[in-house]
Amino acid sequence: MGKERDGTGPERPTTSLSPSAEFPPLSAQDVEALRRLGEHWRAGEPVRALPVDPELRPSGPGAAHARGPNEEFRPDQPGELTTTPAAEQPDSLLGRLAVRVRRVLLGPPLSSTSMLRERMRKLIALPILSSDLLSSVAYGPEALLTILVLAGSAALGLSLPIAGALVVLMVAVGASYRQTVRAYPHGAGSYLVASDSIGPRAGLTAAAGLILDYVLTVSVSVAAGIAAITSALPALSPLAVPLSLLVIAALLTGNLRGIRVAGNIFAAPTYLFLIAIGGMTLVGLAQAGARGFAVVPAPPVPASEAVSVLLIARAFASGATSMTGIEAVSNAVPALRPTEWRNARTVLTWMVSILVLLFSGLMFLIYLNGLVPRANETLLSQLAHRTFPHGPWYAIVQAATALVLLLAANTAYNDLPRLLYFMARDAYVPRRFLHLGDRLALSNGLVALSVAAAVILTAFGGRTQSLIPLFAVGVFLAFTLSQVGMVNHWRRHRESGWRRRAGINAFGAALSSIVLVTAAITKFTSGAWVVVVAVPVLVLLCLRVRRHYDRVRQAVSLRPAPAPTQLPSEGGRERNMAQEFLPQRVRHLLVVPVARFDQTTLRALAYVVSLGQPSLAVHVSPEDQEADRLRDEWTAWGDHIRLETVVSPHREILEPLAQYIAQLRERSPDITLTVVIPEVVAEHPWQRILHSRIEHRLRKALRRLPGVVITSMPIHLSEVHSPAR
């Protein structure tokens, strides 16, 4: 298994998603520090017997024949228990109802050992990972011709040479990502390649471009699919946004059910689209062959611009939107069955081959039939009408196109959570994106993608055409950085045939950079400025998150222990460390806030006295009379613990109490101060509003103080019997 370092922590495996990625193993230096600290712990004292069996073994008659401790836990080996589904059930009725609804929607939970079974086989991976890429042929050719037609009908003859250049670009980028998959078999694509071969900031830049691309893929694809439906059924137009949000919810639910289930759900529409478009292409070519491939003259279109290099470059960049999603396989390598990288390369080859065939065939047929973009009908619809003037085939093509456009967003649902996982593992985004849900899906990443796409879609009222120009900028930014990174990779490792491989990547990088620069310049005022601004903002946010996690890591990391001779006499850092880490050096003071004498107060007082540590009771009173009354009651009780009363003439209770505790800590910073708060625990959630819940407010007020522990001594109303009437 390969290992890697990020320069900030221990080595970690890089081959697959791991449920324990948030807690990587300690480095050798940390283990040595831990060993030294352990040597200073109090030794020689007898181990006290526990008052309860921690393995929860049954006792009493027949215990020797019992299978396990109870229905919630199963013994696996000495000192280790495994939970059962019964241990995961909430106690409340509302919680159990929520779990039942979740199980109906998502299915039963999957164990961590099911991860390999949940991976995709190639026939499922192809439609899941290619839905975005292959569906782009529905709008890529039209995006290209929409720019060319600005120069009039005569300029449409340039469509085939430009399409040929795009095919070269597709093959070059596809070949580059085939090499990426082999060189980086643990996934993460452009982000990991750029980070490893260029630097962390380059990797974050590539990741930012992909994040924007994936969010836009969901919002634009769903909006385009709904637009196809409302075009056929105009009565549904006012419901475009609610329908779009419903589709996003369905995509989220399907992906939360797990990779394998989502694959089975979403594979059929992509295959239907391939059959429909592939069949239309074959029939169209046969019809063109029957007439000797004669070109039908295009209808006259007046020119609004002259043919120029800039116009051709704009058309090339617009047609390059047919390649969005080509990086999907490199991001999702761990999601495939073993051997992961080999199967990923096979899927990628299929994807690029199908893309080249469909794109080339459609561009050729559009040229032969003299079709031009119209405001009220897509080029794909015109071609389907021309190819299938009678019968149900036109409706099948349109239905398959609308369905695959809706599901093209599923590629983003597979890739963005994985990208966020790898970024979270490097501490650039919140650690919560490392968590696997109970169906072995990266649930937090899926939810974040859905929320971001829903916000964008709602903000634009379901009309996201203005967001389409942003696609090429974000995705080709990632393409360029990835391939430049691969060139550096080959130069650094110099494996057999590295010059040829570096040449392929350099060629792909050159073409990708041309598209990137052209799209950024020509589409800047049309919306590309959003990416130009958003990418550096995302990079800065990620760096800020990383700095925070670095501070946390430094604050909680194991430090070198002082020598034993330094513990009693040395001051400064060694002394503080001894007080922090060694139990024999910790000094305690237990504080009990007292409001009145009742069972909760007496239980808390009995608890702190049983610990055998110095204890103090504090009472904050709004007037002298109440303070005097409590002192009299305290004397009647026996004055077993020192009582300190604080009179607050302005009737503030919480703030003076917090200030008093802070002053105690300030006067003696070497003590560990534990505040034990008597608490009444209500039977029902609605009853909580009837109590002050001072423990939560005090915990919030004292959270900033080091060396202060806030705990509570509860008394449950369900345990208290009401007196007989």
Side-chain angles (χ1 to χ4, degrees):
M1 179 181 295
K3 301 273 188 179
E4 72 172 354
R5 283 182 181 269
D6 63 1
T8 63
E11 293 182 348
R12 61 182 180 230
T14 60
T15 57
S16 181
L17 305 182
S18 170
S20 57
E22 190 173 3
F23 306 101
L26 295 176
S27 66
Q29 294 84 355
D30 286 337
V31 172
E32 176 61 21
L34 184 63
R35 183 191 64 78
R36 292 189 60 195
L37 286 168
E39 293 175 354
H40 300 307
W41 275 56
R42 181 183 296 145
E45 294 189 359
V47 178
R48 298 180 181 179
L50 297 176
V52 64
D53 179 12
E55 295 187 2
L56 306 177
R57 287 170 293 198
S59 59
H65 304 287
R67 179 182 178 188
N70 51 41
E71 63 179 2
E72 287 86 11
F73 299 94
R74 182 183 70 250
D76 284 341
Q77 58 186 358
E80 180 175 308
L81 300 174
T82 298
T83 61
T84 67
E88 300 167 359
Q89 291 294 322
D91 293 333
S92 66
L93 177 62
L94 186 62
R96 290 193 297 271
L97 179 61
V99 169
R100 186 167 300 178
V101 172
R102 181 183 178 88
R103 294 289 169 259
V104 171
L105 292 176
L106 306 183
L110 299 172
S111 67
S112 298
T113 57
S114 303
M115 290 190 69
L116 184 60
R117 188 174 68 249
E118 283 298 299
R119 296 188 188 182
M120 295 182 287
R121 53 196 176 95
K122 288 180 286 188
L123 289 178
I124 294 296
L126 175 63
I128 289 299
L129 299 178
S130 69
S131 57
D132 180 24
L133 177 67
L134 299 183
S135 68
S136 63
V137 300
Y139 53 80
E142 185 153 10
L144 186 158
L145 291 174
T146 300
I147 300 299
L148 272 185
V149 80
L150 295 176
S153 304
L156 295 177
L158 296 172
S159 62
L160 293 186
I162 295 175
L166 286 170
V167 167
V168 173
L169 177 63
M170 293 172 186
V171 173
V173 174
S176 173
Y177 274 107
R178 273 179 55 88
Q179 298 183 146
T180 301
V181 167
R182 181 64 182 92
Y184 294 89
H186 33 278
S190 301
Y191 164 68
L192 184 59
V193 175
S195 298
D196 183 57
S197 300
I198 305 177
R201 292 177 186 269
L204 289 177
T205 302
L210 288 176
I211 289 172
L212 294 173
D213 176 61
Y214 290 140
V215 173
L216 291 172
T217 293
V218 175
S219 57
V220 172
S221 296
V222 170
I226 294 298
I229 294 174
T230 55
S231 296
L233 302 171
L236 297 177
S237 296
L239 301 176
V241 172
L243 289 174
S244 299
L245 297 179
L246 188 62
V247 171
I248 291 177
L251 288 169
L252 174 61
T253 303
N255 281 279
L256 286 175
R257 293 183 66 88
I259 295 175
R260 186 166 55 90
V261 175
N264 294 333
I265 294 174
F266 299 129
T270 304
Y271 278 124
L272 175 62
F273 176 76
L274 293 180
I275 293 172
I277 301 301
M280 183 181 69
T281 302
L282 292 176
V283 172
L285 290 174
Q287 293 173 348
R291 65 174 188 266
F293 293 102
V295 178
V296 177
V301 178
S304 58
E305 293 186 24
V307 176
S308 63
V309 174
L310 181 60
L311 181 73
I312 295 173
R314 288 168 56 195
F316 180 76
S318 297
T321 56
S322 297
M323 294 177 57
T324 57
I326 201 171
E327 79 291 340
V329 174
S330 66
N331 288 329
V333 176
L336 277 77
R337 292 182 177 177
T339 304
E340 293 89 342
W341 69 266
R342 195 183 305 277
N343 289 333
R345 282 172 61 122
T346 301
V347 172
L348 180 59
T349 301
W350 291 350
M351 285 171 52
V352 175
S353 300
I354 295 172
L355 173 66
V356 168
L357 290 174
L358 291 182
F359 180 79
S360 303
L362 290 176
M363 287 299 301
F364 189 49
L365 285 177
I366 291 170
Y367 173 74
L368 290 178
N369 286 278
L371 302 178
V372 297
R374 296 179 187 171
N376 58 349
E377 187 177 10
T378 65
L379 279 174
L380 201 60
S381 174
Q382 295 181 53
L383 185 60
H385 262 135
R386 186 73 59 89
T387 307
F388 303 116
H390 308 290
W393 304 112
Y394 169 79
I396 292 175
V397 170
Q398 287 299 96
T401 302
L403 196 56
V404 82
L405 283 171
L406 288 173
L407 299 183
N410 202 59
T411 297
Y413 276 94
N414 275 273
D415 282 356
L416 181 59
R418 293 181 179 277
L419 174 61
L420 293 176
Y421 174 91
F422 287 108
M423 294 178 70
R425 198 182 61 180
D426 292 337
Y428 288 118
V429 296
R431 294 284 191 182
R432 65 181 67 246
F433 290 116
L434 290 169
H435 299 168
L436 286 167
D438 54 10
R439 294 287 298 179
L440 296 178
L442 294 166
S443 307
N444 290 324
L446 294 171
V447 172
L449 173 60
S450 299
V451 171
V455 168
I456 290 177
L457 196 147
T458 304
F460 283 82
R463 298 179 299 273
T464 55
Q465 293 86 349
S466 58
L467 296 177
I468 292 178
L470 279 65
F471 273 115
V473 178
V475 74
F476 277 94
L477 174 62
F479 288 172
T480 303
L481 291 173
S482 172
Q483 293 178 75
V484 170
M486 286 302 299
V487 173
N488 289 343
H489 172 84
W490 299 127
R491 291 178 59 190
R492 186 174 61 196
H493 293 277
R494 296 181 179 269
E495 302 171 0
S496 176
W498 72 272
R499 295 182 185 276
R500 174 181 57 82
R501 295 171 180 172
I504 294 174
N505 289 122
F507 181 65
L511 292 180
S512 297
S513 62
I514 291 173
V515 177
L516 171 63
V517 173
T518 303
I521 294 175
T522 61
K523 299 183 179 182
F524 186 85
T525 57
S526 300
W529 65 269
V530 175
V531 177
V532 175
V533 173
V535 167
V537 169
L538 287 175
V539 171
L540 290 175
L541 287 176
C542 290
L543 292 173
R544 187 77 176 267
V545 171
R546 174 60 180 264
R547 282 196 296 270
H548 169 75
Y549 280 127
D550 284 345
R551 289 185 60 192
V552 172
R553 179 182 56 81
Q554 293 169 3
V556 303
S557 64
L558 299 172
R559 310 172 206 172
T565 57
Q566 294 176 325
L567 292 180
S569 58
E570 293 290 329
R573 183 169 178 268
E574 290 81 7
R575 189 174 182 179
N576 291 334
M577 289 172 57
Q579 292 165 353
E580 281 188 69
F581 296 122
L582 305 182
Q584 63 268 34
R585 301 292 296 176
V586 177
R587 297 177 57 206
H588 289 282
L589 173 62
L590 283 78
V591 178
V592 181
V594 175
R596 66 185 63 84
F597 261 112
D598 54 20
Q599 288 190 33
T600 60
T601 299
L602 288 174
R603 182 176 291 188
L605 295 172
Y607 170 74
V608 299
V609 170
S610 70
L611 298 177
Q613 299 293 337
S615 304
L616 171 69
V618 180
H619 172 66
V620 181
S621 175
E623 57 181 356
D624 291 328
Q625 292 86 343
E626 181 182 326
D628 293 339
R629 183 173 61 251
L630 185 69
R631 276 195 296 267
D632 292 339
E633 295 170 351
W634 199 265
T635 302
W637 172 61
D639 202 13
H640 299 289
I641 297 177
R642 167 69 184 271
L643 171 67
E644 188 70 26
T645 57
V646 177
V647 178
S648 176
H650 295 123
R651 299 162 302 285
E652 293 289 345
I653 302 298
L654 179 66
E655 288 75 12
L657 178 59
Q659 285 292 335
Y660 179 77
I661 294 172
Q663 289 289 328
L664 290 176
R665 170 67 183 175
E666 184 178 339
R667 296 295 179 90
S668 186
D670 59 337
I671 65 171
T672 297
L673 200 155
T674 302
V675 183
V676 181
I677 305 172
E679 177 188 7
V680 175
V681 180
E683 292 183 83
H684 305 289
W686 67 268
Q687 295 171 341
R688 295 174 187 169
I689 62 175
L690 305 179
H691 301 271
S692 63
R693 307 192 71 185
I694 190 174
E695 70 281 355
H696 298 285
R697 297 159 58 199
L698 188 60
R699 182 177 286 110
K700 183 178 180 181
L702 298 176
R703 186 179 300 164
R704 60 181 177 84
L705 295 178
V708 176
V709 180
I710 311 295
T711 187
S712 61
M713 173 54 65
I715 182 169
H716 295 78
L717 294 181
S718 58
E719 299 176 352
V720 179
H721 298 285
S722 300
R725 294 186 179 182

